[in-house]
Amino acid sequence: MRLLFALTLLLSPLNSFARWQSLTIEGSKVFTFIPKNLDKLSPLMINLHGCAQKAQLLKDDGNWEEAATEFKTIIAIPEVPGDGVFFGCWDYYGSKHSRANRHNVFILKVVQALKAKFRIDDSKVFISGLSSGGGQAFVLG
């Protein structure tokens, strides 16, 4: 029986198992949840932590798995690069933001890296956040 189970696991497509994985992009950890049985272009939701928080907290306690599975959405939770601007904050404040400066560049690189790895629907890339992550999401929106 154990041999049959082991063979089933080995012969099943890898995308049939929901799982978290950790990637490193531009020196920052990005937790990514891949729902099972992705068979088409998938939406991508990026969720940003707030000041004095870590991506690990949103991974562990954000309850993303249920929503990701229901809507067949890939979830990405990046850690702010370089411990943030202060207290682990995203660089959302002030003016003069562009797609080519501040933490905006990093988040866009996360999107590009995930698009290279998974089949992501360009028309369904979303971003959300808490605290400074919400401010950063607003800037990118």
Side-chain angles (χ1 to χ4, degrees):
M1 186 66 157
R2 287 184 186 171
L3 179 59
L4 179 60
F5 180 72
L7 286 174
T8 302
L9 286 177
L10 289 174
L11 297 176
S12 296
L14 283 178
N15 73 349
S16 66
F17 301 103
R19 67 198 183 280
W20 279 103
Q21 56 181 251
S22 177
L23 308 169
T24 300
I25 300 173
E26 296 286 312
S28 289
K29 186 178 288 188
V30 179
F31 294 107
T32 308
F33 183 77
I34 312 304
K36 63 182 178 178
N37 297 325
L38 294 180
D39 55 358
K40 59 179 175 43
L41 290 175
S42 299
L44 169 65
M45 169 59 81
I46 299 169
N47 187 237
L48 306 177
H49 63 80
C51 295
Q53 294 179 325
K54 296 287 186 183
Q56 181 80 46
L57 176 71
L58 292 180
K59 175 194 169 284
D60 293 344
D61 299 326
N63 197 29
W64 281 107
E65 297 88 348
E66 186 177 336
T69 300
E70 181 178 346
F71 297 105
K72 298 218 182 284
T73 300
I74 296 169
I75 306 298
I77 305 175
E79 190 71 53
V80 67
D83 293 326
V85 290
F86 62 92
F87 300 116
C89 295
W90 292 91
D91 188 3
Y92 69 92
Y93 53 87
S95 58
K96 309 268 193 268
H97 283 273
S98 77
R99 294 174 65 88
N101 71 358
R102 298 179 163 182
H103 288 146
N104 307 328
V105 173
F106 168 71
I107 295 169
L108 293 173
K109 285 182 180 181
V110 167
V111 171
Q112 292 305 314
L114 294 174
K115 283 175 58 177
K117 188 170 178 66
F118 304 106
R119 296 183 64 218
I120 293 173
D121 185 340
D122 285 334
S123 70
K124 295 179 180 172
V125 176
F126 306 100
I127 188 166
S128 62
L130 304 171
S131 182
S132 70
Q136 183 65 47
F138 179 77
V139 165
L140 280 168

